[in-house]
Amino acid sequence: MAREMARPRAKWRAGLAGVTAALFRRVAGLRLASASVTGIRQLHMMVALIAPLLMLLTIAFMAQQQNADALHREQARAVTLQRYLLQETALLGFDNARWNDAYRSAVLDLDRVWMDENWGPDAFGTMDYHDAFLVDAAGATLYASILGERSTRSAEALLGARLAALLDRARVAGADGRASAFVPYLGGVAVASLSRVRPVDPALAAANAPARYLVMIKRFDAAALRELQLPSGFIGLTVARSQIADTAVPFIGIDGRPFAWLTWGSRTPGYSSALAVMPIALLLFALLAYAGLVGARTAKRWAEQVLANEAAARRLAELDPLTMLPNRRAFIERLHADLAAERAVAIVYIDLDGFKAINDAFGHLTGDMLLIAAAERIALAAANDTASRMARLGGDEFAIALIGADAELRGQRVALGILSGFAHPIQHAGRQVYLGASIGVASSAPGVGALELVRHADVAMYAAKAAGRRQWRAYDATMDAGRDVRQQLAVELRTALHDDSIDVCYQPIVDAGSERIVACEALARWSSPTRGAIDPGLFISVAEEAGLISELTRQVLRKAARAAARWDIGVAVNLSAAEAWDARFADSLLRILADAGLPPGRLELEITEGYLLREADTAREVLSELRALGVQVALDDFGTGFASLTYLRKLPLDRLKLTREFLAEIVGEGRSRPLAAAIVQLGDALGLPVTAEGVETREQAALLREAGCTRLQGWLYGKPMSAAHLTRRLKQREAA
């Protein structure tokens, strides 16, 4: 390439030297000895001719030189861009393959649901790749996701012999077991990254485990090339099958041969400068020098702009485009440097509680605005700590690194500050939106690398979620085991929901006066094939963490509606926050009731005060729409002390359910009857009848009946039972 660029330069130099010599020979041939006016005039004329011609030739030579230099710089930048894209995709593939969870789910097991969540449809768009495959050592495809959709196409069919070449190179690479290369792909060009799936923790590695490899593909289609133009400083980036101009660099395949060319629009700063100064050179020689100076300054500014564009491209590659915070890659790279320098580091890992439900209900635009507002609140908590830096790791997850002395203590203070900041609602589009934060804090320790330190903080964050959310936890080694159990439960629960194997039990609700069954409450029950019966509180919290609570609620609703359609009593179902905040839930519920043949008036939906207070305006709208359908709405766990009388008056409610914890406290105390009566009187003031749950003794039933409760529920009248058992009870009631 350098020799090809040198040829036009040599031609211009030779031409300039030849013309200059001929002109000077002509001047030397003049007869100046006569010193006549004619001779002097001729000399002036020759000088007048020589000077502009020399200037024009000089300008032409400089223009050609400038164009050649610009082309050389562009080619060098294009090669650098190719290397960057190759390395970025290789690092992305390696990060996703070198992972304990990946090793468990893709090597020790073949959990395609987990792969959907982390490599396939659920993860598509969160990382910079298009397609992902899991292949074995022979190249057979075990899993495929193409453009965010699970696919049956194989990596071997799409990559051909290049897949085998990548596998061979990965085996030669040694312990890392990775390889990457540019490849022809679906009629275009792509980067293929192949990495062997290995655990970070050597103790997890099984001696006889099969070798499996993650293949990630980043395509260079028109959209990807357009995204590269602004940060890279190129214009008109395209991919061509052959070299159609000098403004091109080859894509070198894994076999070492070019198979396509990266091309771009030509910049010719030299010609532009020459055209600008040539007319001035012809008119006035003195101005030519000035124009040359202006041209030089322009070239300098252009060169400075190119350098500025390159620096901007590097900065953009390290930023999250929504919040303009450093991204995960930049955060991890700087963390590597801190740990290599043996600095003390504490990581504060933040996950927003309730964000997914709001994002699903109101759309991504609202979600983006809330993420920006949440980032500002998180940053405010660490604003006074000068040795800290914040990043958005992806989705609704953020992290803060605190560097230096007392890092762990400072991290705990920052965690408390974040929780305090989220105690107040975010104002958006005339709404008050309540978000929370679950936070994990982890500190550096000998032998713990950057990725493992971030994982520790992530584990602690999930421990905070499991403990009830809206709190923080410090990492402890025992948390790993608990998280593994919850993750496995989430996988099993997803399978159970897919197989429609969640059971529903029904607890009778009786009229307080006659003690006849007038309704029942539907309760989810799950018996795992490997673990037996799972505590409802545990699997419901796992469902909330894993984003399965909406499907669980709707499955219970479908089964309860079909069962209740055969009875003459009402049925109550607990409503999750995901449905309470979903403006589309009423339409879904109407279809469920229609399919089951259950009149809306015989369904009662129960929702807790806590859910209502987190997103009050939206919940009020959804509940109003449900009541318009004829569905009854009850406020569950009433008496926990969250809601004020003024707030309750604004809610579209039909019934209050007295919390069992309150009932346990009042029985046996001298002030029990006045307290129970006060609760019921509050319901009367609101025009709402009161149901008491948790009734276990005749004493409690009498107290509550005397206080004015209209319905009673508890073990005194029956434990949760199957639909068939409740059917027999109802028949016995009719017979009596």
Side-chain angles (χ1 to χ4, degrees), residues 289-631:
Y290 176 75
L293 179 60
V294 171
R297 289 177 178 174
T298 301
K300 180 182 177 182
R301 286 196 298 271
W302 180 82
E304 290 172 346
Q305 184 60 45
V306 170
L307 293 174
N309 287 343
E310 292 176 349
R314 287 193 296 271
R315 289 194 298 271
L316 286 174
E318 296 179 345
L319 288 180
D320 167 54
L322 177 64
T323 61
M324 299 310 291
L325 290 169
N327 58 21
R328 184 184 189 91
R329 178 184 176 186
F331 185 77
I332 296 296
E333 285 181 353
R334 294 195 64 183
L335 186 56
H336 275 300
D338 290 327
L339 296 177
E342 298 184 352
R343 302 186 185 101
V345 181
I347 302 296
V348 180
Y349 200 110
I350 307 105
D351 183 89
L352 300 181
D353 296 328
F355 174 78
K356 184 179 185 302
I358 295 172
N359 192 55
D360 291 345
F362 296 103
H364 294 296
L365 181 60
T366 296
D368 288 348
M369 295 301 102
L370 291 178
L371 283 174
I372 293 172
E376 292 173 352
R377 291 201 177 183
I378 294 170
L380 191 62
N384 294 328
D385 196 313
T386 57
S388 66
R389 57 177 178 270
M390 177 178 166
R392 181 187 176 200
L393 302 184
D396 59 352
E397 294 183 346
F398 299 85
I400 298 175
L402 298 109
I403 317 300
D406 299 323
E408 183 175 5
L409 179 60
R410 288 156 49 211
Q412 295 173 4
R413 285 200 295 262
V414 167
L416 290 171
I418 294 170
L419 293 174
S420 176
F422 280 105
H424 308 288
I426 296 174
Q427 302 291 334
H428 174 69
R431 299 178 182 273
Q432 286 191 339
V433 181
Y434 282 84
L435 286 177
S438 295
I439 304 172
V441 180
S443 301
S444 56
V448 177
L451 293 175
E452 188 66 4
L453 180 57
V454 172
R455 190 191 70 81
H456 286 177
D458 185 29
V459 169
M461 180 272 292
Y462 273 101
K465 278 189 178 294
R469 301 174 182 248
R470 299 172 184 264
Q471 53 190 290
W472 73 275
R473 288 288 186 272
Y475 173 76
D476 183 278
T478 58
M479 291 179 176
D480 279 312
R483 185 187 181 190
D484 289 344
V485 170
R486 295 181 74 86
Q487 287 179 335
Q488 187 59 38
L489 275 176
V491 172
E492 294 179 15
L493 180 58
R494 189 182 298 275
T495 302
L497 289 170
H498 181 269
D499 296 341
D500 197 28
S501 59
I502 298 297
D503 295 323
V504 179
C505 291
Y506 305 88
Q507 185 171 33
I509 301 173
V510 303
D511 176 76
S514 65
E515 294 191 338
R516 289 174 59 84
I517 299 175
V518 294
C520 63
E521 181 177 1
L523 302 167
R525 295 293 184 265
W526 175 36
S527 182
S528 166
T530 58
R531 305 171 190 271
I534 308 297
D535 180 78
L538 174 59
F539 76 76
I540 289 173
S541 68
V542 168
E544 290 177 336
E545 291 175 12
L548 302 173
I549 191 65
S550 179
E551 177 57 29
L552 176 61
T553 301
R554 296 184 190 218
Q555 194 165 121
V556 172
L557 271 170
R558 284 191 292 270
K559 293 183 177 182
R562 287 196 296 266
R566 303 193 300 267
W567 304 326
D568 61 351
I569 61 173
V571 62
V573 178
N574 288 285
L575 191 65
S576 70
E579 274 65 42
W581 300 339
D582 186 355
R584 299 162 295 186
F585 174 64
D587 294 334
S588 300
L589 179 62
L590 196 59
R591 287 193 296 271
I592 291 172
L593 295 176
D595 291 342
L598 181 69
R602 284 175 50 202
L603 174 66
E604 181 176 273
L605 295 176
E606 299 179 358
I607 185 167
T608 65
E609 294 179 50
Y611 283 156
L612 289 175
L613 290 173
R614 290 181 198 171
E615 183 56 46
D617 294 337
T618 305
R620 189 182 303 117
E621 293 175 8
V622 173
L623 296 183
S624 297
E625 191 172 355
L626 293 173
R627 288 193 72 202
L629 297 177
V631 175

Side-chain angles (χ1 to χ4, degrees), residues 129-311:
Y129 70 93
H130 295 90
D131 309 327
F133 305 87
L134 181 70
V135 302
D136 62 17
T141 299
L142 306 174
Y143 173 84
S145 172
I146 297 179
L147 295 179
E149 297 289 339
R150 194 189 286 189
S151 174
T152 58
R153 302 186 72 176
S154 70
E156 185 176 12
L158 296 174
L159 296 174
R162 296 167 188 85
L163 177 59
L166 285 168
L167 285 167
D168 289 341
R169 184 178 291 182
R171 295 187 189 103
V172 174
D176 282 347
R178 55 176 169 164
S180 59
F182 291 109
V183 295
Y185 190 78
L186 294 176
V189 175
V191 174
S193 165
L194 181 143
S195 304
R196 183 169 179 178
V197 181
R198 293 181 183 274
V200 175
D201 184 0
L204 291 179
N208 298 321
R212 290 177 179 170
Y213 297 83
L214 174 64
V215 181
M216 285 194 161
I217 303 292
K218 176 177 173 60
R219 307 183 189 183
F220 293 106
D221 53 18
L225 292 172
R226 281 196 302 271
E227 291 179 359
L228 288 173
Q229 287 186 167
L230 177 62
S232 65
F234 287 100
I235 57 173
L237 278 176
T238 58
V239 173
R241 287 297 179 187
S242 59
Q243 185 179 10
I244 57 177
D246 288 336
T247 53
V249 293
F251 286 102
I252 305 298
I254 195 168
D255 58 0
R257 293 181 294 181
F259 62 91
W261 297 77
L262 179 65
T263 70
W264 59 90
S266 175
R267 296 181 187 269
T268 54
Y271 291 155
S272 300
S273 301
L275 290 174
V277 301
M278 272 186 186
I280 304 174
L282 294 173
L283 295 175
L284 190 57
F285 174 76
L287 292 180
L288 283 173
Y290 176 75
L293 179 60
V294 171
R297 289 177 178 174
T298 301
K300 180 182 177 182
R301 286 196 298 271
W302 180 82
E304 290 172 346
Q305 184 60 45
V306 170
L307 293 174
N309 287 343
E310 292 176 349

Side-chain angles (χ1 to χ4, degrees), residues 29-43:
L30 291 174
R31 290 175 294 178
L32 298 177
S34 63
S36 63
V37 174
T38 302
I40 295 173
R41 184 177 298 163
Q42 289 177 347
L43 177 61

Side-chain angles (χ1 to χ4, degrees), residues 9-141:
R9 299 181 191 175
K11 291 178 181 178
W12 276 100
R13 292 192 186 99
L16 178 60
V19 172
T20 303
L23 288 171
F24 274 103
R25 283 196 298 271
R26 180 73 184 274
V27 173
L30 291 174
R31 290 175 294 178
L32 298 177
S34 63
S36 63
V37 174
T38 302
I40 295 173
R41 184 177 298 163
Q42 289 177 347
L43 177 61
H44 287 176
M45 290 179 63
M46 291 303 299
V47 171
L49 288 172
I50 291 170
L53 185 56
L54 285 174
M55 183 60 65
L56 289 174
L57 291 173
T58 302
I59 291 173
F61 172 76
M62 291 176 63
Q64 181 66 17
Q65 182 80 15
Q66 191 174 4
N67 289 341
D69 290 344
L71 177 61
H72 180 70
R73 286 194 298 270
E74 286 181 340
Q75 289 171 332
R77 282 195 299 113
V79 171
T80 301
L81 177 62
Q82 285 183 328
R83 290 174 180 166
Y84 166 77
L85 295 171
L86 195 64
Q87 293 170 0
E88 182 185 51
T89 306
L91 180 61
L92 177 64
F94 180 72
D95 284 348
N96 276 273
R98 191 70 179 270
W99 188 6
N100 290 346
D101 289 348
Y103 184 77
R104 294 189 188 97
S105 302
V107 176
L108 300 182
D109 193 3
L110 196 58
D111 186 355
R112 292 183 174 86
V113 174
W114 183 92
M115 296 179 205
D116 283 346
E117 294 173 346
N118 293 276
W119 298 336
D122 295 350
F124 184 70
T126 63
M127 293 182 285
D128 194 15
Y129 70 93
H130 295 90
D131 309 327
F133 305 87
L134 181 70
V135 302
D136 62 17
T141 299

